[in-house]
Amino acid sequence: MSTRAERIEDALRAAYPGAAIRVVDDSDRHAGHAGARPGGETHYNVLVVAEGFAGLTRVARSRAVHALLATEFAGGLHALSLTLRTPEEAARAG
């Protein structure tokens, strides 16, 4: 059985082939907060650098990723901290 982080990464890789992707389970930092569960797997930091974000606003990028992960949200995912950039934006950000 895969972890939620692995499922998130798999879904992102399928949607954004060739993207640089990093998924970090940040649930331990949110213990006691809304949506936190004793087993974790509720809060994540996600970085995706993909050509597929070109021409999309920050809101459109976020909506696309949230829609992609709808089943995870339905199954207990509570929060994502998203950094969604094109390769050019990532290069400028350093």
Side-chain angles (χ1 to χ4, degrees):
M1 185 171 186
S2 61
T3 66
R4 187 180 310 272
E6 291 168 336
R7 292 191 307 270
I8 290 170
E9 186 170 339
D10 289 347
L12 291 167
R13 288 204 184 284
Y16 303 102
I21 297 171
R22 184 180 70 223
V23 178
V24 177
D25 186 345
D26 198 29
S27 301
D28 60 330
R29 294 185 59 221
H30 298 274
H33 295 181
R37 292 183 176 175
E41 295 195 329
T42 56
H43 295 72
Y44 291 84
N45 285 314
V46 175
L47 167 69
V48 181
V49 178
E51 288 290 345
F53 295 134
L56 297 177
T57 65
R58 286 181 51 218
V59 171
R61 295 172 188 191
S62 182
R63 285 180 178 159
V65 170
H66 278 257
L68 180 67
L69 300 174
T71 23
E72 293 298 334
F73 278 105
L77 174 60
H78 179 71
L80 294 175
S81 173
L82 297 173
T83 302
L84 308 172
R85 296 184 174 139
T86 65
E88 294 78 18
E89 292 165 342
R92 283 194 303 267

